């Protein structure tokens, strides 16, 4: 019986620690439309109201906010035109690299514009299959930017972080900033963001917010080019707080 207190204490500690561990285990109940907790930040995300200022003058294309994200997601990944791969010596992840493939004022004499508008069966067509071709809206942005002089414009595009909807705000952001690298046929890192159902997975595990906010412990997304603006990040965050609905 001499050892009883020792064993008793050991048992107590075990019970206490075990009980504590159970108590701190988060209890997750799925309520449709309820905010989805964002993991890994140790803070409750707050609804942020931002309306973008420094907007581009009417009709002016922003290199930093429109052209760069499209070309990074469409072209600047491993095996193609990021700094590490520089296929054919071409790096399309910053202004200098992109500008050197462009004849200011003349899209038809600009290497980048020629390759994205080439016949899709041609060897020079970019982005190469199986990646999706750029959309006609994206091609128009590149063309207009070249026509306007291919300047390093950094003006902002309209953004209001309030009343966001998946179709009007969130999917277009993902389409321009992410989809080129995260399509079903070109799912870098195994990540596919093609539609609501797929995107929702990365809302639930915290990786969508973690990667676009550059939270330590997550890969930085987009991996090169510019970080999304505070207003764009707030749009995604507010949409999640409001339940990450397919609206
Ligand atoms: C230029 C290509 C490229 C673009 C653009 C891009 N990604 Fe990624 N992404 C990757 C690669 C490659 C990985 C795999 C991780 C790595 O090797 O860096 C990845 C990984 C991820 C992951 C997993 C993160 C983690 O921490 O495990 C998420 C989530 C993600 N991307 C979301 C996004 C979102 C959202 C955007 C748009 C804002 C985006 N990505 C834009 C290439 C890209």
């Amino acid at each position: 019986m001499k050892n009883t207190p020792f064993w008793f204490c050991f048992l107590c500690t075990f019970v206490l620690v075990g009980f504590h561990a159970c108590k701190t285990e988060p209890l997750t109940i799925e309520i449709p439309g309820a905010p989805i907790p964002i993991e890994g930040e140790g803070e409750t995300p707050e609804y942020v109201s931002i309306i973008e200022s420094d907007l581009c003058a009417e009709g002016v294309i922003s290199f930093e906010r429109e052209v760069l994200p499209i070309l990074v997601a469409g072209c600047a990944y491993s095996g193609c035109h990021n700094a590490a791969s520089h296929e054919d010596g071409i790096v399309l992840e910053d202004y200098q690299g992109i500008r050197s493939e462009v004849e200011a004022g003349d899209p038809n004499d600009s290497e980048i514009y020629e390759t994205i508008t080439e016949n899709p069966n041609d060897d020079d067509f970019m982005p190469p299959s199986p990646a999706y071709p750029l959309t006609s809206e994206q091609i128009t942005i590149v063309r207009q930017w070249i026509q306007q002089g291919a300047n390093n414009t950094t003006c902002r595009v309209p953004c209001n972080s309030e009343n966001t909807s998946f179709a009007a705000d969130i999917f277009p952001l993902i389409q321009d900033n992410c989809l080129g690298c995260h399509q079903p046929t070109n799912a870098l890192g195994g990540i596919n963001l093609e539609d609501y159902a797929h995107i929702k997975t990365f809302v639930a595990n915290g990786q969508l917010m973690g990667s676009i906010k550059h939270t330590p412990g997550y890969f930085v997304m987009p991996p090169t080019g510019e970080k999304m603006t505070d207003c764009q990040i707030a749009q995604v965050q507010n949409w999640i707080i409001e339940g990450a609905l397919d609206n």
Side-chain angles (χ1 to χ4, degrees):
M1 288 311 276
K2 218 175 114 214
N3 282 338
T4 305
F6 172 77
W7 282 113
F8 186 68
C9 275
F10 186 80
L11 195 67
C12 283
T13 316
F14 186 77
V15 167
L16 277 173
V17 169
F19 181 65
H20 187 69
C22 284
K23 255 186 82 182
T24 52
E25 202 66 45
L27 182 63
T28 323
I29 305 169
E30 281 267 348
I31 307 168
I36 294 169
I38 296 171
E39 288 172 15
E41 289 197 70
E43 57 176 69
T44 315
E46 282 178 24
Y47 197 93
V48 184
S49 300
I50 302 176
I51 295 178
E52 198 75 87
S53 50
D54 301 327
L55 293 186
C56 296
E58 184 79 28
V60 170
I61 301 291
S62 172
F63 171 76
E64 185 181 278
R65 293 295 146 198
E66 299 179 276
V67 177
L68 183 61
I70 293 171
L71 293 181
V72 163
C75 322
Y77 45 82
S78 182
C80 292
H81 303 296
N82 66 354
S85 300
H86 57 82
E87 191 70 15
D88 294 332
I90 299 171
V91 178
L92 302 179
E93 57 180 41
D94 57 22
Y95 179 72
Q96 270 70 34
I98 292 169
R99 182 65 183 81
S100 64
E101 300 303 316
V102 158
E103 187 62 40
D106 190 354
N108 296 326
D109 202 18
S110 296
E111 197 66 34
I112 288 179
Y113 190 74
E114 286 171 20
T115 60
I116 62 177
T117 54
E118 194 78 68
N119 179 330
N121 297 321
D122 197 289
D123 280 351
D124 292 341
F125 182 72
M126 295 285 148
S129 166
Y132 294 165
L134 298 188
T135 66
S136 55
E137 289 84 2
Q138 292 172 332
I139 292 174
T140 303
I141 285 177
V142 175
R143 186 182 64 241
Q144 290 177 338
W145 170 70
I146 297 173
Q147 284 168 337
Q148 291 173 6
N151 297 312
N152 192 5
T153 36
T154 58
C155 53
R156 302 290 171 95
V157 292
C159 171
N160 180 347
S161 72
E162 293 189 6
N163 304 318
T164 51
S165 92
F166 180 74
D169 306 296
I170 308 304
F171 192 71
L173 273 183
I174 298 215
Q175 187 161 37
D176 285 343
N177 289 278
C178 325
L179 202 57
C181 292
H182 294 299
Q183 305 160 353
T185 53
N186 190 33
L188 302 187
I191 312 271
N192 175 0
L193 301 174
E194 70 175 314
D195 56 18
Y196 174 77
H198 287 85
I199 293 167
K200 186 89 184 271
T201 318
F202 300 100
V203 170
N205 69 13
Q207 288 186 349
L208 180 65
M209 277 320 292
S211 63
I212 65 172
K213 282 180 88 170
H214 298 185
T215 305
Y218 293 91
F219 286 104
V220 165
M221 292 293 140
T224 53
E226 293 288 323
K227 190 181 181 186
M228 285 164 65
T229 67
D230 289 347
C231 180
Q232 292 172 329
I233 293 170
Q235 282 187 313
V236 180
Q237 180 160 308
N238 292 348
W239 169 73
I240 294 175
I241 290 173
E242 288 175 334
L245 303 175
D246 187 7
N247 55 1

